[in-house]
Amino acid sequence: MVKKWNNSQVQFPSYLGFNYDSEKFVWQFSQSNQSWSWKINEQMVDKINAAGGYVRELEGEMGDKGKPFKTNGWTQNHFRTELMGLEILIPDNTEIDEQLEINIDLCATKPIALTILIHLGENSHLNFKNKIHFNGKFSNLSLCVNGALATGSGLDYTLVEDSPNLVKQTLIGDIQCQRDAHCNLNLFPEVHGDLLGDLRIYLAKTGSGGEINFGCYGQPNDWVGVQGMIEHDAPDTFSRINMRSVLYKNSKVNFTSIGKINHGAHGANADQESRIMTIEEAKGSVNPALIIDENDVKAGHAASVSQYDEDELYYLLSRGLSTVVAKQILIDNFMNPILKKMN
Amino acid sequence: MAKLVIKNLRVAVAGDLILNGVDLEINDGEIHALMGPNGTGKSTLSETIMGNPRYQICDGQIILNDMDITELMVDERARAGIFLAMQYPTEVAGISNADFIHAALNAQNDGKSVPVLPFLKELEEKMSFLEIAEDYADRGLNADFSGGEKKRNEILQMMMLKPKLAILDEIDSGLDIDALKIVAKGINAMRGRNFSCLMVTHYQRLLNYVIPDVVHVMMDGKIIKTGGAELAKQLEKTGYGNLN
């Protein structure tokens, strides 16, 4: 029995008055008859199993699987419903030296909700690349990536999506880090349509750190609204947020990045950079924010919305490259800080 | 052939007339030096020949090998054989030096890919000739290069692209004596009937290593004096004041 809730009754997290029209998005519900499949390198499964961990399917399970961020009502409600997706557990003191790569094919025809749950034990490390291919005819996707990182653990999570169809997607990332745990969230959803995103890393204990790297290309008619927040709730914590997008024609992308440093998180180091390159009539906005309730911290931000650099273009043209090729080089150059994280 | 003819060139920047009737002729295989005080229009002339859109041609003609290139776009001029070594080369970290030069050669080759192995071999030889470390081929274009390294990299590009006409805008500025000799070695290696060159410089010292066939002096947007290599030596002693 699918338990439903109406997200119009729960407020999507918003900061400092930035409104992303979340009412246009409907958080989906898992349905056991949805068609999807996943592939993983069997050797990696063997390694994880041998260490006492697992990678397994969530199929219609409910209950206290995730530990959703306390202020995000959408994820809290999500974890009260039946879950569909994958759960990965890496036990204490386990170092997975190779990259875990999981390819998910979504062949659904109806709206779909997918959950990726990651539990890292103490002093364990995982480099996880998650590719999602949108092969079905569905028009709505809700994706929730939830992680709990125990003391001294490290997670490098990279999400790459591709879709030939128009999709309305809601993406929620929600990672909590304990003492000296570090998380890198690298997200590159190459999906056409509308995307609403809320990405958070909560640095709960001393010495923990987090990085959010988000990149996307805004194709004609695309709408993207993504906010990333890293909350420092303990001393000597570290965070970086990097967001980049290239916008074509009438696409629209809005980024909000928030470095939140709570009282008592002395020695915190928070920095963020959000940049948008616009091509033709595209529109974008970047909203960097630092919310600081502590004195002894380092924090900074940089933001820009601009076209390609005319001097750089001229230099490339002066060597005979055509305008098309030269602009593509500048676009690749602009996205390079994010793309290299994906590799 | 590598012949440039400029006739009565008048150029404005942001509404201000900078070049006020420049006439210049560089014949096949000649190396010319263009000298003059700061702010007289030397870089404006260089950028205008290259086709920088910030420089508005009000009157005159630029002719390369009997082809009027006055109305051509920057990339079209480059593919026609013009190369400008810039005073402040731009950094583009997202493309490697080698990939960039290969892309430029492909552009010269009507967009068809130049075979990679011979290209890499030639690149290695030219880099060795200019005493550029091997790893610079894989580094981002001019990214984190020192001023001298950027200038040397401009000469490397020139040697790989083999233009008909190279304009070297203060290629000697910021170079130590060893780097200056290497840059000069690169320019001299290009000498030949199919290569002509216009060197913009403030100092005689570059001309000690690259002997020009012709020296011009520009003042107030015009070429006011032309002579042989001895003119530069004379200017070194007397300055520009006596020319007024």
Side-chain angles (χ1 to χ4, degrees):
Chain A
M1 180 72 183
V2 177
K3 185 176 178 181
K4 294 190 174 184
W5 56 278
N6 184 347
N7 67 260
S8 66
Q9 296 166 351
V10 183
Q11 192 180 9
F12 187 77
S14 79
Y15 307 100
L16 306 173
F18 300 124
N19 180 8
Y20 281 167
D21 296 333
S22 56
E23 61 275 11
K24 293 179 184 172
F25 291 79
V26 177
W27 187 265
Q28 304 304 320
F29 302 95
S30 306
Q31 296 177 38
S32 55
N33 61 352
Q34 287 292 356
S35 178
W36 71 290
S37 62
W38 56 288
K39 286 180 190 164
I40 183 173
N41 183 330
E42 290 300 327
Q43 288 177 332
M44 290 298 290
V45 176
D46 292 343
K47 276 188 182 181
I48 292 170
N49 289 345
Y54 57 76
V55 179
R56 69 180 193 89
E57 224 172 273
L58 295 163
E59 196 64 61
E61 296 175 41
M62 291 177 62
D64 189 23
K65 277 290 171 193
K67 292 178 181 171
F69 199 85
K70 57 190 175 186
T71 58
N72 190 333
W74 286 32
T75 45
Q76 284 188 320
N77 280 353
H78 174 67
F79 282 103
R80 293 185 189 119
T81 66
E82 295 176 4
L83 302 179
M84 188 183 76
L86 293 171
E87 182 176 25
I88 298 161
L89 173 80
I90 307 295
D92 291 349
N93 303 309
T94 305
E95 185 89 34
I96 304 293
D97 46 7
E98 287 178 55
Q99 186 178 61
L100 171 68
E101 187 164 320
I102 298 180
N103 291 312
I104 295 176
D105 281 314
L106 300 178
C107 309
T109 53
K110 295 178 181 172
I112 187 168
L114 197 66
T115 303
I116 306 292
L117 277 178
I118 304 163
H119 312 281
L120 283 193
E122 290 187 6
N123 303 312
S124 292
H125 291 85
L126 178 67
N127 182 350
F128 175 18
K129 188 163 193 174
N130 190 187
K131 292 182 180 173
I132 302 182
H133 308 283
F134 294 38
N135 295 322
K137 299 282 183 193
F138 61 93
S139 56
N140 278 273
L141 168 71
S142 298
L143 174 62
C144 180
V145 179
N146 183 280
L149 277 59
T151 299
S153 63
L155 172 67
D156 218 317
Y157 175 78
T158 301
L159 173 70
V160 180
E161 297 178 329
D162 69 77
S163 170
N165 306 319
L166 285 175
V167 173
K168 185 169 275 202
Q169 182 180 186
T170 310
L171 170 63
I172 290 181
D174 184 349
I175 309 287
Q176 300 189 35
C177 298
Q178 300 302 316
R179 186 181 180 94
D180 295 326
H182 287 259
C183 173
N184 291 335
L185 272 185
N186 308 312
L187 307 151
F188 205 102
E190 202 163 341
V191 174
H192 308 310
D194 297 344
L195 169 66
L196 176 68
D198 183 60
L199 311 168
R200 299 177 183 220
I201 298 176
Y202 178 60
L203 306 177
K205 299 292 180 186
T206 303
S208 55
E211 190 171 310
I212 295 172
N213 298 297
F214 181 91
C216 69
Y217 293 105
Q219 302 295 345
N221 300 315
D222 284 356
W223 182 95
V224 174
V226 171
Q227 51 196 24
M229 177 166 124
I230 301 183
E231 181 172 354
H232 298 245
D233 204 20
D236 301 320
T237 42
F238 176 91
S239 73
R240 293 290 181 267
I241 301 176
N242 302 298
M243 292 177 162
R244 287 196 181 222
S245 181
V246 176
L247 312 193
Y248 296 90
K249 293 194 172 167
N250 58 342
S251 61
K252 189 164 186 182
V253 170
N254 305 295
F255 286 151
T256 298
S257 54
I258 303 116
K260 187 167 187 281
I261 302 176
N262 296 338
H263 185 67
H266 53 82
N269 184 325
D271 199 60
Q272 50 189 270
E273 185 174 339
S274 303
R275 299 194 186 279
I276 287 176
M277 176 187 276
T278 57
I279 312 284
E280 298 159 346
E281 325 137 27
K283 288 183 180 174
S285 70
V286 290
N287 308 300
L290 291 165
I291 304 169
I292 301 172
D293 189 19
E294 178 59 54
N295 291 320
D296 177 23
V297 300
K298 284 183 184 172
H301 61 71
S304 63
V305 179
S306 61
Q307 293 205 324
Y308 44 76
D309 186 297
E310 294 284 352
D311 289 336
E312 290 177 356
L313 181 66
Y314 169 59
Y315 187 78
L316 300 182
L317 293 174
S318 77
R319 300 304 185 246
L321 302 182
S322 68
T323 306
V324 171
V325 172
K327 283 184 178 176
Q328 189 57 52
I329 287 173
L330 293 181
I331 288 167
D332 294 344
N333 180 57
F334 177 80
M335 292 301 285
N336 188 47
I338 298 295
L339 290 175
K340 68 184 180 188
K341 301 278 185 184
M342 303 297 148
N343 298 321
Chain B
M1 269 182 78
K3 182 173 181 176
L4 177 77
V5 177
I6 293 176
K7 296 178 183 171
N8 189 34
L9 191 63
R10 291 158 54 84
V11 173
V13 182
D16 294 330
L17 196 65
I18 306 295
L19 298 187
N20 192 15
V22 171
D23 292 295
L24 176 67
E25 189 166 323
I26 303 177
N27 292 310
D28 299 341
E30 287 182 350
I31 291 189
H32 289 216
L34 180 64
M35 306 182 77
N38 293 322
T40 52
K42 301 185 296 299
S43 289
T44 298
L45 178 61
S46 304
E47 297 285 352
T48 305
I49 297 170
M50 189 69 250
N52 189 329
R54 287 185 187 155
Y55 298 82
Q56 186 193 354
I57 296 176
C58 307
D59 197 8
Q61 273 184 305
I62 306 171
I63 297 162
L64 179 71
N65 291 341
D66 300 327
M67 178 171 75
D68 188 339
I69 62 166
T70 315
E71 300 292 327
L72 292 188
M73 305 297 285
V74 182
D75 56 320
E76 293 170 325
R77 293 183 195 210
R79 292 194 295 273
I82 291 181
F83 177 93
L84 171 61
M86 299 197 186
Q87 205 171 336
Y88 305 106
T90 305
E91 295 186 13
V92 185
I95 184 168
S96 74
N97 250 325
D99 286 345
F100 174 61
I101 295 171
H102 191 239
L105 283 168
N106 292 343
Q108 266 188 1
N109 195 34
D110 290 331
K112 295 173 201 152
S113 183
V114 169
V116 174
L117 286 178
F119 159 73
L120 289 175
K121 186 169 181 289
E122 186 182 356
L123 183 67
E124 193 181 328
E125 287 168 2
K126 297 276 179 1
M127 289 177 71
S128 171
F129 182 78
L130 293 170
E131 299 176 32
I132 297 173
E134 274 181 33
D135 66 315
Y136 277 61
D138 297 323
R139 284 175 56 175
L141 175 60
N142 292 324
D144 299 322
F145 285 23
S146 69
E149 288 168 341
K150 285 179 182 172
K151 295 295 174 95
R152 229 185 288 188
N153 202 35
E154 295 288 276
I155 297 299
L156 173 66
Q157 291 177 37
M158 177 186 76
M159 293 184 76
M160 291 297 294
L161 295 174
K162 303 177 187 69
K164 295 183 176 80
L165 170 75
I167 307 151
L168 311 178
D169 191 2
E170 295 194 24
I171 194 71
D172 51 341
S173 66
L175 294 184
D176 62 46
I177 190 66
D178 291 335
L180 180 70
K181 285 179 183 175
I182 291 168
V183 162
K185 187 170 76 164
I187 301 167
N188 285 325
M190 292 290 292
R191 276 186 186 266
R193 186 170 161 69
N194 292 319
F195 174 76
S196 57
C197 182
L198 178 65
M199 298 187 300
V200 176
T201 184
H202 282 290
Y203 306 108
Q204 165 65 31
R205 62 175 198 157
L206 173 64
L207 309 185
N208 290 335
Y209 299 102
V210 184
I211 310 295
D213 299 297
V214 181
V215 174
H216 307 278
V217 180
M218 177 175 265
M219 292 184 86
D220 299 328
K222 276 186 171 182
I223 290 174
I224 60 157
K225 193 171 179 72
T226 294
E230 71 286 350
L231 176 57
K233 289 179 181 165
Q234 179 195 329
L235 288 170
E236 188 83 353
K237 291 178 186 164
T238 62
Y240 297 109
N242 294 334
L243 295 175
N244 285 323

